[in-house]
Amino acid sequence: MKVKDTDKKINIITLGCSKNVYDSENIMGQLKHNGYEVMHDSEAPSDIVIINTCGFIHDAKQESVDTILAAIHDKQEGLIEKVFVTGCLSERYKNELPAEIPEVDHYFGTHDMHNLLKEFAVDYKHELIGERQLTTPSHYAYLKISEGCDRSCSFCAIPMIRGKHISRTIESLVLEATKLAAKGVKELILIAQDLTFYGLDIYGKRRLDDLLKALVKVEGIEWVRLHYAYPTGFPEEVIQTIAAEEKICNYLDIPLQHINNDILKSMRRGHDRNKTESLLVSLRNAVSDVAIRTTLIVGYPGETEEKFQELKQWVQQTRFDRLGVFAYSHEENTHAGKLIDDVDEDVKQQRVSEIMDIQSQISFDKNQAKIGKIYKCIFDRKEGSYYIGRTEYDSPEVDNEVRVDATQQHIELGKFAQIKILDAEAFDLFGELVK
Ligand code: SF4
């Protein structure tokens, strides 16, 4: 039987995506509720380190392994007592890791928080949902509306790591949002593996639209932002709700991965070029100023120069507002893992930079067009002599930022302010407070 020892300082290190951040915040909330002092990604001395790993693609896996080895080194140096590992890498390689890095005190999977807490003599309490210890600035928070994924995209290991799609109930999400708003959260960032699948499992139909209509009624919440939408079966009613609801940011993150029909078919995405383009057209028709963020993969097996040129031209034509591009990572036990990884690594990297060169120019042009205009912004932090904020078209950590000279005016962090844009670069806007 573990003994509760709240004198032990705990440091949680979170790797990977916002869904991992959400999980770490839940672990921290449970431990804090039981009297433990828990830090996040801290350099400060601690007794116990919990590493919440990412196991999605090669580079992320390598970062997770390096972080574990660094913690093991600190343990061998007597700087920390224990190292616990959880999250996607730990889940995906639960059979291999204990043998490969036996110095870790205990490995936990992605659905194993209750066992991790037992190491601290803490019993998981469901009613603490919403009592997360936020690691984000207190005015915005991620809200994970479901876990797992029922899709079978060929390149993706997530379904085998996170399991089947499980939606949370609208009631539990509204309760969590209400508690967050009471703590000062103004911006809710909805996340999932597949946001648009929401409700199909527990309600037998897509209910993202109903969830959005419930969340915008939560007092104190001013912005609701949508991440990780999926194009196939996209609920059109959500487009109308984005257009109609002031509080829902005119912003949509929808990873599309590619546009060539052969590649999309091999990726098992369930949508083709025509469907993709008509979805984007109906979105832009309904929400004229919508900022569309997407993610693409280059160097997928079979991506000939011709197919890559088709993708490049499409990116040029479609002019996404925000875009991320990844080099294909050949992952074992995925459908694509059985294919031949026939695009050389340096060709993959070359294609990544060609797409980002196009996107930087598009982003620069779009930002130049914002000069002279006034935008409602929220301010996340102060950095040097600048206040750093975002418009509704920008999600934290991944999109553009608005910089305001802090030597000339005062802005309260976590508050909204009207900002007139004075200048712009590819990924940054510069502005002044409108009195
Ligand atoms: S939707 Fe596709 S890419 Fe996204 S988590 Fe599910 S399987 Fe992976």
Side-chain angles (χ1 to χ4, degrees), residues 9-278:
K9 285 200 175 68
I10 304 165
N11 183 25
I12 296 196
I13 299 172
T14 302
L15 304 168
C17 67
S18 52
K19 284 149 274 187
N20 254 13
V21 171
Y22 183 90
D23 294 348
S24 290
E25 291 176 346
N26 268 315
I27 296 169
M28 296 168 78
Q30 298 276 341
L31 289 169
K32 190 170 174 224
H33 184 80
N34 285 274
Y36 284 96
E37 182 194 335
V38 192
M39 302 170 279
H40 189 248
D41 288 352
S42 171
E43 301 290 319
S46 61
D47 303 302
I48 299 171
V49 170
I50 301 172
I51 303 168
N52 190 1
T53 58
C54 178
F56 186 36
I57 55 175
H58 178 270
D59 294 356
K61 294 190 288 186
Q62 192 54 54
E63 185 192 14
S64 293
V65 169
D66 294 347
T67 306
I68 295 171
L69 295 176
I72 293 298
H73 178 263
D74 288 352
K75 182 182 166 188
Q76 286 160 344
E77 296 291 305
L79 300 172
I80 53 176
E81 290 171 28
K82 288 196 172 170
V83 178
F84 295 128
V85 173
T86 186
C88 294
L89 186 85
S90 189
E91 176 72 39
R92 186 173 179 186
Y93 300 104
K94 54 177 163 280
N95 301 323
E96 297 85 351
L97 275 173
E100 285 166 17
I101 315 178
E103 296 85 356
V104 166
D105 292 274
H106 205 84
Y107 289 94
F108 300 91
T110 49
H111 297 77
D112 222 356
M113 190 199 303
H114 53 292
N115 284 326
L116 170 60
L117 294 173
K118 281 208 178 83
E119 289 294 327
F120 302 89
V122 166
D123 291 328
Y124 172 76
K125 288 198 173 53
H126 187 71
E127 61 273 23
L128 286 178
I129 283 284
E131 305 294 339
R132 283 183 282 148
Q133 187 172 325
L134 295 184
T135 61
T136 54
S138 59
H139 56 272
Y140 74 80
Y142 296 107
L143 184 63
K144 188 160 80 170
I145 69 171
S146 62
E147 179 58 278
C149 185
D150 283 10
R151 306 264 180 195
S152 59
C153 305
S154 64
F155 52 83
C156 184
I158 291 174
M160 74 177 140
I161 297 172
R162 292 271 168 175
K164 282 292 183 195
H165 183 106
I166 303 171
S167 302
R168 289 183 49 200
T169 64
I170 292 180
E171 294 72 25
S172 76
L173 290 164
V174 169
L175 175 62
E176 184 168 352
T178 307
K179 288 183 179 176
L180 291 169
K183 285 199 282 189
V185 169
K186 296 178 181 65
E187 178 182 3
L188 279 180
I189 304 170
L190 302 195
I191 57 174
Q193 304 299 353
D194 174 358
L195 205 76
T196 33
F197 204 93
Y198 179 75
L200 269 175
D201 54 322
I202 57 175
Y203 299 118
K205 61 177 182 169
R206 295 176 191 277
R207 293 199 64 191
L208 178 59
D209 194 52
D210 297 335
L211 173 63
L212 293 176
K213 287 177 175 153
L215 290 174
V216 293
K217 293 196 179 85
V218 175
E219 207 174 318
I221 298 297
E222 293 199 29
W223 277 358
V224 176
R225 189 180 300 281
L226 279 61
H227 269 264
Y228 303 106
Y230 194 92
T232 308
F234 189 99
E236 291 279 337
E237 63 273 17
V238 167
I239 295 179
Q240 302 318 320
T241 301
I242 295 174
E245 290 290 347
E246 184 67 31
K247 286 188 177 181
I248 300 181
C249 296
N250 290 351
Y251 177 98
L252 183 70
D253 167 50
I254 181 164
L256 294 167
Q257 311 303 359
H258 214 283
I259 199 59
N260 171 270
N261 283 336
D262 298 339
I263 298 282
L264 286 171
K265 191 155 183 270
S266 173
M267 284 180 165
R268 303 160 64 100
R269 294 286 294 176
H271 58 99
D272 62 12
R273 180 168 185 143
N274 289 342
K275 284 192 186 130
T276 306
E277 291 183 328
S278 62

Side-chain angles (χ1 to χ4, degrees), residues 338-355:
K338 303 182 195 75
L339 304 174
I340 298 167
D341 185 13
D342 56 2
V343 181
D344 290 349
E345 195 51 40
D346 52 0
V347 173
K348 289 177 186 173
Q349 295 310 327
Q350 174 57 31
R351 290 178 179 176
V352 167
S353 49
E354 286 181 38
I355 295 281

